Amino acid sequence: MRKIILIVVSLSSMIWADFSRDSHGIVTDSATTLEWQDDRFPVAKNWESAINYCKTLDLNGTDWRLPNIKELFSIVDRDRGD
């Protein structure tokens, strides 16, 4: 299973999803099997810095990357919020 990292400030709009969180700070969506870092205090990064951060991230393994737009849309409930 490939791991990705999402730098997300709020996930409150995902009411229908089934998520689990492990002791390493990794959140898993059971419907898509996508995983991301649960970072409660994210630091803004430009694109190049974000790519380098993911390449060097050692969070329960080193196979992390930035998500593509299709993956991001798969975890958003577009019927909620603006």
Side-chain angles (χ1 to χ4, degrees):
M1 174 175 25
R2 192 139 176 108
K3 298 176 185 175
I4 65 168
I5 182 167
L6 298 178
I7 302 170
V8 179
V9 175
S10 173
L11 300 173
S12 61
S13 66
M14 294 178 271
I15 194 167
W16 300 109
D18 184 20
F19 302 110
S20 62
R21 182 176 283 110
D22 72 10
S23 63
H24 300 286
I26 298 172
V27 178
T28 303
D29 177 353
S30 64
T32 64
T33 68
L34 293 176
E35 296 180 314
W36 58 89
Q37 178 184 18
D38 183 11
D39 189 353
R40 298 192 189 279
F41 305 103
V43 175
K45 294 175 176 37
N46 64 30
W47 186 253
E48 186 176 322
S49 295
I51 290 172
N52 288 331
Y53 175 82
C54 293
K55 284 181 181 179
T56 61
L57 182 63
D58 187 12
L59 182 64
N60 198 28
T62 57
D63 192 21
W64 291 92
R65 65 177 175 80
L66 289 176
N68 63 44
I69 193 71
K70 186 176 180 180
E71 291 166 330
L72 288 173
F73 274 120
S74 76
I75 63 167
V76 174
D77 182 357
R78 291 179 291 256
D79 294 329
R80 297 180 48 95
D82 292 326

